[in-house]
Amino acid sequence: MFDIAVFGSLFLTLFVIMDPPGITPIFLALTAGRPAKVQRRMAFQAVCVAGGVIAVFGVLGHQILDYLHVSVPALMIAGGLLLLLIALDLLTGKNDEPQQTKDVNVALVPLGMPLLAGPGAIVSVILAVQKADSVSSQLSVWSAILAIHVVLWLVMRYSLLIIRVIKDGGVVLVTRLAGMMLSAIAVQQIINGVTQVIRGS
């Protein structure tokens, strides 16, 4: 049987953490200037990367972190610092220069990880998989993970229509907005990681 409560709980948790509506301006900013076909491919790649990372950590999460002697707060702080560097590029306009980013696949970093498959999503999945003590619960957990990635792909895939409306000037505005949002997300992630370190000490 399918456990709808487990499915709904994890899906809503991942929806809040991975934030499909909030990823739209960031995706548009990071992929601006590329052909529509490339942007669609990058949307699919980002979701595949995120799904792969989430799946690996869902199955082997604790073993990986224990083997590397990495704590969850350390993962959060590292992810936050990486996002902050990217946010600063967006805010200062460095990504407006195509020659700097034409060979960089932003679908892998930062979109796939740590934006989509960030520490929050990874930890949520690890805990959900651990708590799923039956076949139906496991099926519900992995169905929720698949469902949120389908939603993420649809949001990014069809957010490209926005570019046709807002034109180049709008893309610049979206880029600055995305940089501001991303910097706030990064700082909050660092704060959360530091807070957990302090509580654990």
Side-chain angles (χ1 to χ4, degrees):
M1 291 179 62
F2 189 80
D3 193 330
I4 191 66
V6 172
F7 173 89
S9 176
L10 181 59
F11 180 84
L12 288 175
T13 300
L14 292 177
F15 189 92
V16 170
I17 293 172
M18 300 176 93
D19 191 16
I23 202 68
T24 300
I26 297 170
F27 174 76
L28 292 176
L30 291 173
T31 61
R34 292 176 169 86
K37 183 178 179 180
V38 173
Q39 290 175 317
R40 287 194 294 269
R41 187 174 72 242
M42 293 176 84
F44 182 72
Q45 287 175 337
V47 169
C48 288
V49 168
V53 171
I54 291 288
V56 169
F57 275 94
V59 176
L60 301 170
H62 274 296
Q63 292 90 326
I64 292 172
L65 294 180
D66 289 343
Y67 177 76
L68 296 174
H69 303 290
V70 173
S71 66
V72 172
L75 190 65
M76 295 176 74
I77 294 170
L81 289 172
L82 177 59
L83 290 181
L84 189 57
L85 289 174
I86 294 158
L88 291 175
D89 278 349
L90 292 175
L91 282 170
T92 56
K94 290 184 179 178
N95 280 6
D96 291 343
E97 301 174 29
Q99 66 269 23
Q100 290 188 347
T101 59
K102 64 181 180 180
D103 297 324
V104 177
N105 190 350
V106 296
L108 306 180
V109 176
L111 278 174
M113 184 177 181
L115 266 178
L116 298 180
I122 288 171
V123 172
S124 297
V125 168
I126 290 174
L127 294 176
V129 170
Q130 278 187 334
K131 291 178 182 176
D133 53 2
S134 66
V135 175
S136 62
S137 296
Q138 286 285 344
L139 178 62
S140 303
V141 164
W142 291 104
S143 296
I145 293 170
L146 177 62
I148 191 64
H149 283 84
V150 170
V151 170
L152 285 165
W153 175 75
L154 288 172
V155 168
M156 288 190 290
R157 167 70 174 76
Y158 291 102
S159 67
L160 300 178
L161 298 175
I162 298 173
I163 290 181
R164 299 178 187 174
V165 177
I166 63 176
K167 308 296 183 185
D168 290 342
V171 169
V172 174
L173 178 63
V174 167
T175 301
R176 298 297 182 270
L177 175 63
M180 186 173 65
M181 290 171 55
L182 198 55
S183 62
I185 292 170
V187 170
Q188 186 61 56
Q189 195 162 293
I190 293 170
I191 290 172
N192 291 345
V194 171
T195 302
Q196 288 194 26
V197 170
I198 294 172
R199 286 177 180 172
S201 60

